[in-house]
Amino acid sequence: MGEFLRSIPLFWAKVLSISLYLLLALWVITRPREFIYRGAPDRKGWRDLRWWAMLLIGIQIFLYLIF
Amino acid sequence: MKEVLAQHIDLFLIVVYLLAIFLFGVLFREYVTSTEDYFLAGRALPWWVIGMSIIGTNIGAYDYVGAAGGAYRFGIAQANYEWLGAIPAMIVSALIIIPYYWKNKVYTVPEYLGKRYKEGVRVIEAVIYGLFLVMLLGIFFWASGIMLHTYLGWSIGFSIVITAIVVGFYTISGGLAAVAITDVVQLGIMFVGGFAVAGVGFAKAGGVAKFFQALKASHPQHLKVFLPLNNPAYPWLGMILGLGLVLSPAWWCANQSIIQRALGARSQWDARAGMMFAAFPKTLIPLLVVLPGFFALMFAPSGAINNPDQALPWVVKNFLPPGIRGLVFVAFIAALHSSVDSTLNSAATLWTKDIYQKYIKKDGSDRHYLIMGRILTFAFIVFGVAFAPFTQKFPGIYVAMQTLLSFFQGPTLATLLLGVLWWRSTGWGGFWGLSLGVVIAVVLSAAGVNFLYVAWWSFVASLLINVVVSYLTPPEPPEKLRGLVYGFLEKDQEFKRAVEERLNG
C-alpha cells in the first residue's frame, strides 16, 4: 500500500485537491436561495453567500493550478 | 544618532499601540451588564467584525515564526495551512455548522454537543478544550515575554506582567466585544506590517517577477504546493486527509475561540457571512507568513540562519529599515495579543457555562455568572503568568501543542459531524465515539505516527464507533433532535404529517 502510494506522481495530489474544490463548488451552488439569505436584512445580490464561496473557491483553484 | 532615533520611533509605536488597546477596555466596560454581553458581545456583532476577529484570533506570533520557518525549509507547501487547510472548512462551517449553533442560542460548542447527545459528551469536550485553552495561555504569555525581551531589552518577567495587565484589563472589562474590536485593529496592524515586509523584500529583489524567477531558479521545490510522501513534515496525502479533511474542519467548526465570534453575531446571516468573510484575509495570510521565509532564504548569507525558526527574526533584524521594523514588531505584539484575549475569553466562557453553571452553582443570577466569568478570566491570567516560565522546559512545545490538538480534533469532528448530519446518531454513540476516539489518538501518537495521520485515523475510528454504538442503542426521540440535526424535519414523520395536512386544507 505504502509502495503504491509513493509511486503516485505529485500531479495527482493536485488533481485530487482541485477535484475536492470542484465538488465543494457544486455543493455550494445547489444550496437553496432561501437558506442562504436566512437572517439577512434584505435580499440584495451581494448578500448571496454562494457567490462569496464561489469566488473563494475560484481563487483557491487558481492558486493550486499555478503552484 | 540615526539608530537611536529609530529605536525611539519603534518604542513610540509600541507605547501608542499599548495605550490605544488599553483605552478600548475603558470604552467597552459600560456596555457589559450581562453574561450575554460579556461572553457573546450582546449578540450584536456585524459580519465584518466577526470575520476580522476570527482571523486576528487565528494568527498568533507563534504562527508567524513557525510558518516563516516552515516556508524557509519547505517552501510554499507551508501555505496549505492557510489554503486547503482552511478555506474549504470555513465554507462548510459557514453553510452547515454555524446555523445550528446560532439557532440553538448556545454559548459554547460543548453546550451544543450536550444538547445533541448527552451531558457526558459536553463534560468530556468542555474539560478537554478548557484545559487546552488554559495551557495555551501560559505559552502565549511566555512568547510575549521573549519577544519584548528580545526587541526592547525588558526583562521577561516584566514583559509578561505588562502583557497580562494590558490584555487582561480590556478582556475583563469589555468581554467579547472589546476582544473582537481590538482584534479588528490588531489584524489591520498585522496586514500593514506584512505588506511593508513584502514591499521591502520585492523592492530589494528588483520586483515581484524577478524575485520569483530567482527563487524558482535556485530553489525550484520551494514553489511546489505538494511535497512527496517521504517528506517528514508535509507529505501530500497527510496534508489532504489529515489537514484538509480532519484537522482543518475540526478547527473551523468546533474550536471555541473561533466559533464564539459567530455565536455573538446579530443575525444568522451575519454569523455565516462573518466566517465566509474571514476566508478572504485568510487566503492572503501567506503574504505575511510565507514571504518572510522566502526573503530569508534568498537574502540571508550562508550560515546566518541555523534554525528555520530564526528566518523571521533575521528578516526583522537585518532586512527591514528602522521605523518599518517597529511597525512589524507592533504587528507581532498585536498577533500575540489577539490570540491571548480570545483564548482568555473563550476559556472563561467554557469554564463558566459548561462547568461552573452546570455542575457547581446551577441557580445563580445572571449577575453572579457575569462576576464569576470575570473572576475566572482573572484567575486564568494569573495561572497563565505563573505557568509561562515552565514553557521553557519544553523546547518542542509548539509541536507538542499540535500533537495535543491531534488527540481530540479528529474525535471532536466525527462527533460534531454525525451529530449535525445524521439523525440516527445517539447519545451513547457520541459518548463512546468521542472518548474511545481520544484514546485511539493517544495510542497512535505514542506509537510514533505522524500527527496528521493520527488526526485522520482517530477521526475514522471515532466515526465508526459512533455509527456502530448508535445502531446498537435506541434512536433519540424526535422532539430531542428538532433544530439540532440537518434535514431532520424532513425525516420527522410528525412534522411531515402536519405539513401534508396543512397542504390538504
Side-chain angles (χ1 to χ4, degrees):
Chain A
M1 181 70 173
E3 212 39 55
F4 165 73
L5 286 171
R6 270 188 288 274
S7 68
I8 299 174
L10 280 181
F11 165 78
W12 288 101
K14 225 172 224 203
V15 171
L16 183 59
S17 58
I18 291 174
S19 304
L20 287 174
Y21 277 117
L22 290 173
L23 274 176
L24 181 63
L26 191 68
W27 176 78
V28 167
I29 210 70
T30 52
R31 292 306 85 205
R33 210 175 130 81
E34 185 58 38
F35 165 74
I36 292 293
Y37 281 109
R38 197 167 291 163
D42 54 54
R43 298 267 174 137
K44 285 180 181 155
W46 71 269
R47 289 192 192 273
D48 189 338
L49 296 177
R50 288 173 299 187
W51 295 114
W52 296 31
M54 297 310 280
L55 180 58
L56 283 164
I57 293 169
I59 295 169
Q60 288 293 301
I61 290 176
F62 171 74
L63 288 168
Y64 276 85
L65 279 175
I66 59 169
F67 287 113
Chain B
M1 179 65 192
K2 233 179 172 181
E3 190 55 34
V4 173
L5 184 67
Q7 275 177 0
H8 279 94
I9 293 171
D10 292 352
L11 194 62
F12 173 74
L13 283 171
I14 291 160
V15 171
V16 167
Y17 164 77
L18 291 176
L19 278 176
I21 291 297
F22 197 78
L23 276 176
F24 270 110
V26 181
L27 282 173
F28 277 92
R29 189 177 167 78
E30 60 181 289
Y31 297 109
V32 179
T33 56
S34 67
T35 49
E36 195 172 78
D37 293 337
Y38 189 68
F39 294 128
L40 296 180
R43 295 192 198 269
L45 295 177
W47 59 274
W48 59 272
V49 171
I50 296 167
M52 292 179 78
S53 177
I54 283 174
I55 295 303
T57 300
N58 180 236
I59 309 297
Y62 255 111
D63 297 278
Y64 263 106
V65 174
Y72 176 84
R73 192 170 168 202
F74 297 113
I76 196 82
Q78 177 67 40
N80 278 311
Y81 279 89
E82 324 298 334
W83 297 341
L84 185 67
I87 309 300
M90 293 170 88
I91 294 172
V92 168
S93 179
L95 295 182
I96 296 185
I97 306 296
I98 284 176
Y100 286 89
Y101 292 143
W102 200 89
K103 66 185 175 190
N104 281 289
K105 300 285 175 204
V106 293
Y107 280 74
T108 67
V109 175
E111 189 183 347
Y112 169 81
L113 292 175
K115 279 186 176 185
R116 170 61 184 85
Y117 289 107
K118 61 203 281 111
E119 284 307 313
V121 177
R122 179 178 183 176
V123 174
I124 295 173
E125 190 67 16
V127 169
I128 290 174
Y129 252 108
L131 287 174
F132 174 73
L133 291 174
V134 171
M135 280 175 66
L136 208 57
L137 275 173
I139 292 163
F140 286 156
F141 277 128
W142 183 251
S144 180
I146 293 282
M147 279 169 62
L148 290 171
H149 172 70
T150 308
Y151 290 97
L152 295 180
W154 296 353
S155 78
I156 293 178
F158 178 72
S159 305
I160 289 174
V161 170
I162 285 286
T163 305
I165 290 173
V166 172
V167 180
F169 178 75
Y170 73 76
T171 309
I172 290 174
S173 61
L176 182 66
V179 168
I181 296 292
T182 48
D183 283 351
V184 171
V185 177
Q186 285 154 347
L187 185 69
I189 296 170
M190 281 185 242
F191 268 102
V192 170
F195 282 124
V197 174
V200 171
F202 287 137
K204 208 165 185 143
V208 179
K210 269 191 179 167
F211 175 79
F212 280 106
Q213 274 167 11
L215 182 65
K216 198 172 181 181
S218 58
H219 300 86
Q221 279 300 320
H222 274 64
L223 288 176
K224 300 238 180 277
V225 77
F226 287 118
L227 298 175
L229 275 183
N230 59 6
N231 184 281
Y234 306 140
W236 69 266
L237 192 61
M239 292 308 258
I240 293 176
L241 296 181
L243 178 68
L245 298 184
V246 180
L247 284 174
S248 159
W251 181 267
W252 295 102
C253 298
N255 185 311
Q256 179 66 25
S257 308
I258 299 293
I259 291 297
Q260 200 163 335
R261 278 109 197 85
L263 300 180
R266 63 186 174 189
S267 73
Q268 190 185 136
W269 184 86
D270 283 86
R272 289 181 295 157
M275 179 60 85
M276 199 79 91
F277 176 60
F280 286 97
K282 184 71 177 165
T283 307
L284 295 176
I285 293 297
L287 270 180
L288 271 62
V289 297
V290 172
L291 273 182
F294 284 172
F295 292 145
L297 188 70
M298 295 300 284
F299 298 120
S302 160
I305 295 171
N306 303 316
N307 176 348
D309 284 350
Q310 290 172 346
L312 187 66
W314 183 88
V315 168
V316 174
K317 274 191 170 174
N318 305 294
F319 190 71
L320 298 177
I324 301 245
R325 199 186 309 161
L327 185 68
V328 171
F329 181 58
V330 171
F332 290 159
I333 302 180
L336 199 62
H337 284 181
S338 63
S339 303
V340 175
D341 61 20
S342 307
T343 307
L344 261 178
N345 189 256
S346 297
T349 311
L350 269 175
W351 284 96
T352 306
K353 286 293 188 185
D354 292 318
I355 309 285
Y356 183 78
Q357 189 171 348
K358 192 72 197 168
Y359 297 102
I360 298 172
K361 188 168 172 61
K362 290 184 177 181
D363 54 353
S365 65
D366 190 66
R367 187 172 160 67
H368 172 82
Y369 294 122
L370 172 62
I371 293 169
M372 183 45 67
R374 284 184 157 141
I375 290 173
L376 280 173
T377 310
F378 180 74
F380 293 147
I381 293 170
V382 173
F383 176 85
V385 170
F387 179 73
F390 292 100
T391 304
Q392 63 185 318
K393 293 191 188 299
F394 308 98
I397 198 79
Y398 188 64
V399 174
M401 294 311 291
Q402 290 294 333
T403 309
L404 196 63
L405 266 173
S406 71
F407 289 168
F408 59 90
Q409 294 278 68
T412 297
L413 180 68
T415 311
L416 179 66
L417 283 184
L418 285 179
V420 171
L421 298 175
W422 191 43
W423 69 274
R424 187 62 180 79
S425 181
T426 64
W428 285 114
F431 180 81
W432 287 113
L434 180 63
S435 0
L436 291 180
V438 171
V439 172
I440 289 167
V442 173
V443 170
L444 285 175
S445 189
V449 176
N450 177 304
F451 76 91
L452 293 168
Y453 295 121
V454 170
W456 168 252
W457 288 115
S458 62
F459 166 75
V460 172
S462 183
L463 215 61
L464 290 175
I465 293 165
N466 191 324
V467 169
V468 170
V469 175
S470 292
Y471 273 126
L472 293 175
T473 46
E476 302 290 348
E479 57 272 17
K480 185 189 166 188
L481 302 180
R482 201 165 286 147
L484 292 164
V485 182
Y486 186 78
F488 179 71
L489 290 180
E490 286 75 26
K491 291 182 178 65
D492 182 347
Q493 294 304 315
E494 193 188 319
F495 177 80
K496 237 177 170 176
R497 265 201 307 277
V499 172
E500 277 166 14
E501 276 170 20
R502 204 176 299 160
L503 286 173
N504 295 333

